[in-house]
Amino acid sequence: MRRLPGVLIVEDEPAIAELISVNLRHSGFRPIWAMDGATAQAELDAVLPDVILLDWMLPGESGLTLAKRWRAHPRTKAVPIIMLTARGDEIDRVAGLDAGADDYIAKPFSTKEMVARIRAVLRRRAPEMEEAVVTMGRLSLDAATYRVAFEDQPVKLGPTEFKLLHYLMTHAERVHSRSQLLDQVWGDHVFIEERTVDVHVKRLREALGDQASAMIETVRGAGYRITTQTQGMNETSAAA
C-alpha cells in the first residue's frame, strides 16, 4: 500500500484546519492537526511529517519562534516548513523565510495553490539529499547533516544561507541571476525583492570568512557564481 505523505497542520482555528485537512485528503496527503506549539511538538516527537504547515499567529509561542527552533534542531531541521499567515508585508515574508521557512502563503489563500506549493517543496527537498556531501576545494557541505566546513573547520550558517550555498555548490562555475536564485532557493511562488539575494550572499560570505568567501563571485550585470578559480577576478567583484 502506498504511503501517503504526512502534513502537520499547526493552526489554532478549527474551521481553517478542517478546510485544509479535507483538501489535503482529497489530494493524496495525510493531514495531522495540532492547535498549538506544544501539541505540534508532541506530534513531531512521535513521528516526523513530510511537510509542516505552520500558522504565524498561535496561542503561546508564535509560528516564527517554532520555525526557528525546529530549524535549529537536528531531528527536524530537514522537514520543509510552509508559513501560513495573514501578515503579507514583505518584511514579514522575509522574517518568515529567515526563520527557516521554505515557503510562505498569505491568507486568504487558494487551497489549490496550497497543495501546489506543498508538492513544490517536496520536489525541491527530494533531490537535495541525492548528493549528500558536496566538496569544492577546501570547502565541503553535507546536506544530510546540515554541516559545512572549510579546511576541516566548521562553518555556522543560517538555514537560508545553507540552502543558498548548497545550490551554488551543486551548480558550481555557473552564473546565476538573482531571479534564478530566488526561484531555486526561496521557491518560485515566493514574492520578495531581488535585493534579498544580495543580503543573504553578504551574510554567507561573512560566515565563510575571507578565504572561502572569495569563492563566491559577483559577476557584474549577471549575478553570482561559486568557483575554485579565484585568481582571475579582474572581471568580477567579491563585494555584493
mmCIF file of all heavy atoms in Angstrom, residues 135-140 148-155 208 211-212 215:
data_model
loop_
_atom_site.group_PDB
_atom_site.id
_atom_site.type_symbol
_atom_site.label_atom_id
_atom_site.label_comp_id
_atom_site.label_asym_id
_atom_site.label_seq_id
_atom_site.Cartn_x
_atom_site.Cartn_y
_atom_site.Cartn_z
ATOM 1 N N THR A 135 31.821 18.783 -2.300
ATOM 2 C CA THR A 135 33.123 19.360 -1.963
ATOM 3 C C THR A 135 33.621 20.227 -3.110
ATOM 4 O O THR A 135 33.524 19.846 -4.278
ATOM 5 C CB THR A 135 34.164 18.256 -1.676
ATOM 6 O OG1 THR A 135 33.682 17.428 -0.608
ATOM 7 C CG2 THR A 135 35.503 18.856 -1.274
ATOM 8 N N MET A 136 34.111 21.403 -2.769
ATOM 9 C CA MET A 136 34.785 22.287 -3.724
ATOM 10 C C MET A 136 36.070 22.769 -3.085
ATOM 11 O O MET A 136 36.044 23.560 -2.128
ATOM 12 C CB MET A 136 33.907 23.490 -4.076
ATOM 13 C CG MET A 136 32.746 23.180 -4.990
ATOM 14 S SD MET A 136 31.954 24.714 -5.545
ATOM 15 C CE MET A 136 33.260 25.430 -6.569
ATOM 16 N N GLY A 137 37.187 22.264 -3.570
ATOM 17 C CA GLY A 137 38.460 22.637 -2.959
ATOM 18 C C GLY A 137 38.471 22.281 -1.484
ATOM 19 O O GLY A 137 38.261 21.129 -1.110
ATOM 20 N N ARG A 138 38.674 23.290 -0.631
ATOM 21 C CA ARG A 138 38.739 23.046 0.818
ATOM 22 C C ARG A 138 37.397 23.269 1.513
ATOM 23 O O ARG A 138 37.296 23.186 2.733
ATOM 24 C CB ARG A 138 39.794 23.969 1.440
ATOM 25 C CG ARG A 138 41.218 23.672 0.967
ATOM 26 C CD ARG A 138 42.183 24.775 1.350
ATOM 27 N NE ARG A 138 41.946 25.993 0.580
ATOM 28 C CZ ARG A 138 42.544 27.152 0.822
ATOM 29 N NH1 ARG A 138 43.405 27.259 1.819
ATOM 30 N NH2 ARG A 138 42.281 28.213 0.085
ATOM 31 N N LEU A 139 36.367 23.533 0.698
ATOM 32 C CA LEU A 139 35.025 23.763 1.239
ATOM 33 C C LEU A 139 34.169 22.527 1.035
ATOM 34 O O LEU A 139 34.109 21.963 -0.062
ATOM 35 C CB LEU A 139 34.384 24.958 0.518
ATOM 36 C CG LEU A 139 32.978 25.377 0.961
ATOM 37 C CD1 LEU A 139 32.990 25.893 2.400
ATOM 38 C CD2 LEU A 139 32.426 26.460 0.020
ATOM 39 N N SER A 140 33.502 22.078 2.098
ATOM 40 C CA SER A 140 32.632 20.901 1.984
ATOM 41 C C SER A 140 31.292 21.170 2.659
ATOM 42 O O SER A 140 31.209 21.911 3.644
ATOM 43 C CB SER A 140 33.290 19.667 2.614
ATOM 44 O OG SER A 140 33.438 19.844 4.015
ATOM 45 N N VAL A 148 28.702 22.365 7.361
ATOM 46 C CA VAL A 148 29.599 22.993 6.391
ATOM 47 C C VAL A 148 30.959 23.151 7.055
ATOM 48 O O VAL A 148 31.041 23.485 8.249
ATOM 49 C CB VAL A 148 29.057 24.370 5.946
ATOM 50 C CG1 VAL A 148 30.052 25.063 5.014
ATOM 51 C CG2 VAL A 148 27.705 24.230 5.266
ATOM 52 N N ALA A 149 32.018 22.904 6.292
ATOM 53 C CA ALA A 149 33.362 23.050 6.841
ATOM 54 C C ALA A 149 34.285 23.635 5.781
ATOM 55 O O ALA A 149 34.147 23.355 4.588
ATOM 56 C CB ALA A 149 33.903 21.706 7.317
ATOM 57 N N PHE A 150 35.233 24.457 6.240
ATOM 58 C CA PHE A 150 36.286 24.973 5.369
ATOM 59 C C PHE A 150 37.610 24.649 6.038
ATOM 60 O O PHE A 150 37.836 25.001 7.190
ATOM 61 C CB PHE A 150 36.144 26.483 5.167
ATOM 62 C CG PHE A 150 37.164 27.049 4.209
ATOM 63 C CD1 PHE A 150 37.076 26.778 2.858
ATOM 64 C CD2 PHE A 150 38.218 27.827 4.676
ATOM 65 C CE1 PHE A 150 38.014 27.283 1.964
ATOM 66 C CE2 PHE A 150 39.164 28.336 3.799
ATOM 67 C CZ PHE A 150 39.074 28.067 2.432
ATOM 68 N N GLU A 151 38.473 23.936 5.292
ATOM 69 C CA GLU A 151 39.739 23.440 5.849
ATOM 70 C C GLU A 151 39.480 22.665 7.138
ATOM 71 O O GLU A 151 40.182 22.830 8.143
ATOM 72 C CB GLU A 151 40.719 24.599 6.086
ATOM 73 C CG GLU A 151 41.176 25.269 4.800
ATOM 74 C CD GLU A 151 42.208 26.361 5.034
ATOM 75 O OE1 GLU A 151 42.205 26.952 6.142
ATOM 76 O OE2 GLU A 151 43.000 26.625 4.124
ATOM 77 N N ASP A 152 38.437 21.847 7.110
ATOM 78 C CA ASP A 152 38.038 20.969 8.228
ATOM 79 C C ASP A 152 37.574 21.728 9.472
ATOM 80 O O ASP A 152 37.365 21.119 10.531
ATOM 81 C CB ASP A 152 39.187 20.018 8.615
ATOM 82 C CG ASP A 152 39.541 19.063 7.485
ATOM 83 O OD1 ASP A 152 38.610 18.629 6.772
ATOM 84 O OD2 ASP A 152 40.734 18.769 7.310
ATOM 85 N N GLN A 153 37.383 23.036 9.340
ATOM 86 C CA GLN A 153 36.853 23.824 10.457
ATOM 87 C C GLN A 153 35.372 24.106 10.215
ATOM 88 O O GLN A 153 34.997 24.526 9.111
ATOM 89 C CB GLN A 153 37.606 25.148 10.596
ATOM 90 C CG GLN A 153 39.076 24.981 10.949
ATOM 91 C CD GLN A 153 39.274 24.248 12.275
ATOM 92 O OE1 GLN A 153 38.676 24.599 13.287
ATOM 93 N NE2 GLN A 153 40.107 23.214 12.260
ATOM 94 N N PRO A 154 34.510 23.844 11.210
ATOM 95 C CA PRO A 154 33.070 24.035 10.996
ATOM 96 C C PRO A 154 32.705 25.486 10.712
ATOM 97 O O PRO A 154 33.291 26.408 11.266
ATOM 98 C CB PRO A 154 32.446 23.551 12.321
ATOM 99 C CG PRO A 154 33.546 23.637 13.329
ATOM 100 C CD PRO A 154 34.820 23.396 12.583
ATOM 101 N N VAL A 155 31.729 25.670 9.829
ATOM 102 C CA VAL A 155 31.202 26.984 9.479
ATOM 103 C C VAL A 155 29.729 27.013 9.864
ATOM 104 O O VAL A 155 28.958 26.137 9.466
ATOM 105 C CB VAL A 155 31.341 27.261 7.966
ATOM 106 C CG1 VAL A 155 30.712 28.615 7.613
ATOM 107 C CG2 VAL A 155 32.802 27.216 7.540
ATOM 108 N N LEU A 208 31.513 32.536 5.966
ATOM 109 C CA LEU A 208 32.571 31.698 5.408
ATOM 110 C C LEU A 208 33.964 32.213 5.751
ATOM 111 O O LEU A 208 34.919 31.446 5.823
ATOM 112 C CB LEU A 208 32.425 31.604 3.887
ATOM 113 C CG LEU A 208 31.246 30.784 3.359
ATOM 114 C CD1 LEU A 208 31.126 30.928 1.848
ATOM 115 C CD2 LEU A 208 31.380 29.317 3.751
ATOM 116 N N GLN A 211 38.932 33.737 3.180
ATOM 117 C CA GLN A 211 39.428 32.830 2.143
ATOM 118 C C GLN A 211 38.296 32.146 1.383
ATOM 119 O O GLN A 211 38.263 32.160 0.157
ATOM 120 C CB GLN A 211 40.357 31.784 2.758
ATOM 121 C CG GLN A 211 41.742 32.328 3.098
ATOM 122 C CD GLN A 211 42.671 31.215 3.525
ATOM 123 O OE1 GLN A 211 42.490 30.599 4.571
ATOM 124 N NE2 GLN A 211 43.679 30.943 2.703
ATOM 125 N N ALA A 212 37.370 31.544 2.112
ATOM 126 C CA ALA A 212 36.285 30.808 1.454
ATOM 127 C C ALA A 212 35.334 31.747 0.731
ATOM 128 O O ALA A 212 34.784 31.413 -0.324
ATOM 129 C CB ALA A 212 35.523 29.960 2.475
ATOM 130 N N MET A 215 35.505 32.529 -2.996
ATOM 131 C CA MET A 215 34.990 31.582 -3.981
ATOM 132 C C MET A 215 33.661 32.047 -4.571
ATOM 133 O O MET A 215 33.270 31.620 -5.654
ATOM 134 C CB MET A 215 34.818 30.199 -3.347
ATOM 135 C CG MET A 215 36.114 29.575 -2.870
ATOM 136 S SD MET A 215 35.837 28.058 -1.922
ATOM 137 C CE MET A 215 35.155 26.990 -3.198
#
